[in-house]
Amino acid sequence: MDRHPSGVSRANRTGTVQVKAKVGVLISGRGSNMAALLYAARHPSCPYELVLVAANDPEAPGLKLAAAEGVPTFAHSHKGLKRAEFDRIVDAQLRSAGAEYVALAGYMRLLSPEFVAGWEGRMLNIHPSLLPRYKGLGTHQQALDAGDSHAGCSVHIVTAELDDGPVLGQTAVAILPGDTAESLAARVLMAEHQLYPRMLAEFVTRERQPEWLLNKVREHALALPQADEVTSHGMPCFGIEKGKKFAYFSQGNHGDGVIAILVKTTAPEEQAMLIESDPARYYRPAYFGDGWVGIKLDLGDTDWDHIGDRLDKSWRTVAPRKLLGLKDIADQF
Ligand code: GAR
């Protein structure tokens, strides 16, 4: 059975088998967020599992807990190693454990650009503030000093900048009269433990969610010259302005429960050829005839360059000659 990055295995011709996304967690100390992720993962409906807990401090208390709960652990002190050198060691451990995602949970190390690039779009962090406010350390004291009504926590995708990157979710925590940095941190931590497992679960399944998939299709389709989006028979569809349609987004149409894109084929035998080559992915869309092919998007391993390419080809079959000529010239640059 093939393994794919977003935790989905394509099993056979008859359908898909959902398996859990594999997550590696990096900690530096207590590891209470790691524990929250771990215990959430114990619920059968949780879409992820922890395959490794690694720490840059062999004494990190969280390691003992993870080991006691049967999660493989790895510890290596960063002392005396260059940042990139240390990160390569951690990276190798994550990959050999089969991690598809990384969750930073109180990992108090700056990451090398190589490490961040290697996990681009697949690494999350939890930070104890309402980002973009108060990056770095001392977040609770800063919120108190500023007289804020609320502190809180954020889960975000990790990018090269510290505590930056798209925020996936936040929880605001009211500041009480008499709060100290410690009392506030303790309440924010409770919110962290609720937020992180949810955000991680959503993140590892988002590539199967209809809204995310439609947005991806939209991004590619509307980048084509004179493309517009309308709704036809309840389906979002893409066409040339005032012209013909070149793609439909199908979500459970005709009760088939499938999320797919329908595009035009470019040759008479192409539909049959594609279905033959990968019957779990391609299909003959009901009521569309031979000139179209359905491509399932919710298998979890969609190659978006390929979808972009198919959209381009489909657009070409309906674009007026003049527009085609202009696009050919533009594509040369
Ligand atoms: C948590 O409050 C986490 O948000 C914070 O460190 C603590 C770790 O606690 N992380 C950062 O400040 C990262 N910039 P834990 O080890 O018990 O999860």
Side-chain angles (χ1 to χ4, degrees):
M1 200 166 21
D2 295 340
R3 286 288 302 132
H4 295 290
S6 56
V8 176
S9 292
R10 285 202 298 114
N12 50 39
R13 285 170 177 245
T14 54
T16 58
V17 173
Q18 309 284 333
V19 298
K20 293 178 186 268
K22 297 186 185 301
V23 177
V25 183
L26 303 186
I27 63 170
S28 293
R30 179 176 56 186
S32 72
N33 275 291
M34 177 277 295
L37 297 177
L38 189 159
Y39 291 121
R42 288 287 149 87
H43 195 280
S45 70
C46 185
Y48 67 81
E49 62 182 330
L50 303 194
V51 292
L52 181 71
V53 172
N56 61 317
D57 174 2
E59 301 304 318
L63 285 172
K64 283 200 185 69
L65 171 75
E69 292 294 356
V71 179
T73 59
F74 172 75
H76 200 299
S77 171
H78 60 268
K79 289 184 186 143
L81 292 173
K82 293 213 170 85
R83 191 175 302 285
E85 205 179 328
F86 177 74
D87 284 358
R88 268 198 297 278
I89 296 171
V90 175
D91 187 75
Q93 290 292 324
L94 286 165
R95 296 198 189 270
S96 73
E100 297 156 317
Y101 296 89
V102 174
L104 305 180
Y107 192 57
M108 298 310 197
R109 288 225 11 110
L110 292 175
L111 300 166
S112 60
E114 296 80 4
F115 186 85
V116 175
W119 293 96
E120 190 189 351
R122 305 214 161 257
M123 179 157 53
L124 304 188
N125 180 40
I126 186 149
H127 182 73
S129 80
L130 295 172
L131 290 171
R133 260 179 280 171
Y134 317 133
K135 297 178 178 179
L137 299 173
T139 54
H140 304 300
Q141 192 59 51
Q142 290 185 68
L144 291 171
D145 292 347
D148 292 349
S149 66
H150 287 78
C153 53
S154 309
V155 170
H156 66 96
I157 301 176
V158 176
T159 55
E161 293 289 310
L162 175 71
D163 299 331
D164 207 71
V167 170
L168 299 174
Q170 298 186 307
T171 305
V173 173
I175 295 181
L176 303 180
D179 253 338
T180 61
E182 290 70 35
S183 64
L184 183 56
R187 278 203 316 290
V188 171
L189 194 63
M190 282 192 261
E192 291 183 39
H193 296 166
Q194 302 295 316
L195 182 68
Y196 209 0
R198 281 178 195 225
M199 292 301 107
L200 181 59
E202 263 180 33
F203 190 69
V204 302
T205 50
R206 70 179 187 160
E207 292 175 22
R208 280 174 253 159
Q209 304 299 336
E211 278 147 56
W212 190 87
L213 293 166
L214 175 57
N215 274 331
K216 265 317 250 193
V217 167
R218 194 172 269 146
E219 229 172 76
H220 284 275
L222 294 181
L224 292 160
Q226 286 186 23
D228 70 356
E229 178 179 348
V230 290
T231 306
S232 166
H233 299 93
M235 292 159 102
C237 62
F238 302 88
I240 309 257
E241 284 165 22
K242 300 197 185 79
K244 291 187 175 164
K245 307 274 177 288
F246 62 88
Y248 289 80
F249 182 82
S250 172
Q251 185 189 337
N253 285 83
H254 314 297
D256 57 10
V258 159
I259 303 174
I261 184 173
L262 316 183
V263 287
K264 286 192 88 102
T265 47
T266 54
E269 296 307 318
E270 200 178 27
Q271 186 199 62
M273 217 181 66
L274 289 168
I275 296 171
E276 173 69 27
S277 74
D278 192 350
R281 187 179 314 274
Y282 296 98
Y283 66 100
R284 179 190 168 86
Y287 309 112
F288 273 76
D290 293 331
W292 292 78
V293 68
I295 312 173
K296 291 183 192 169
L297 297 175
D298 52 357
L299 301 178
D301 63 344
T302 300
D303 175 348
W304 288 98
D305 289 339
H306 171 69
I307 298 296
D309 197 43
R310 292 276 4 158
L311 279 164
D312 189 284
K313 287 196 172 102
S314 187
W315 177 90
R316 283 173 180 280
T317 65
V318 300
R321 196 174 290 249
K322 198 169 150 204
L323 207 52
L324 268 177
L326 289 173
K327 185 163 192 310
D328 284 339
I329 295 168
D331 284 351
Q332 284 169 10
F333 292 96

